Amino acid sequence: YFFGFSTMDYCSERKQRGVKESIKYIRKLRFTAIGNGTVFSLLFLIPFMGVSCGTIICTVAASLSVHEIDSVTERIRPMKQENQNRKLSQ
């Protein structure tokens, strides 16, 4: 979890989230962090290449997953507002 948390925290820093906001965000995505951390731990077991390539691979994977999750969330948010507006108008 903590390896995945650290790679996802890098993405939160790029989006200029505060510490508390970053922790809340990654806790919501804890299974993504666990999966990413597990892959990192397994890659870390490979001598020489695991240390250098594992770090790069998992950081890129975390960036892609956070980007995908954020883009899906942004697409869903307007739909929810639209449904709420319909309910209010009825």
Side-chain angles (χ1 to χ4, degrees):
Y1 172 77
F2 293 107
F3 287 141
F5 185 97
S6 66
T7 56
M8 291 177 73
D9 186 50
Y10 173 74
C11 300
S12 291
E13 288 295 324
R14 284 190 312 170
K15 293 185 182 258
Q16 298 178 347
R17 291 184 175 120
V19 175
K20 289 182 181 179
E21 187 181 353
S22 178
I23 291 171
K24 283 182 186 179
Y25 179 76
I26 296 172
R27 279 187 182 159
K28 275 197 276 184
L29 303 174
R30 66 183 165 270
F31 294 112
T32 305
I34 289 170
N36 197 7
T38 301
V39 170
F40 179 77
S41 297
L42 293 173
L43 288 173
F44 203 71
L45 296 174
I46 301 170
F48 304 113
M49 292 299 287
V51 175
S52 59
C53 291
T55 305
I56 295 167
I57 290 170
C58 288
T59 303
V60 170
S63 296
L64 292 174
S65 64
V66 167
H67 176 70
E68 183 68 25
I69 291 167
D70 285 346
S71 66
V72 167
T73 304
E74 288 173 8
R75 281 184 275 170
I76 291 173
R77 201 172 287 148
M79 287 184 214
K80 285 184 177 180
Q81 288 226 324
E82 194 175 299
N83 288 337
Q84 288 176 351
N85 291 339
R86 284 184 195 161
K87 287 179 183 178
L88 291 175
S89 66
Q90 291 177 353

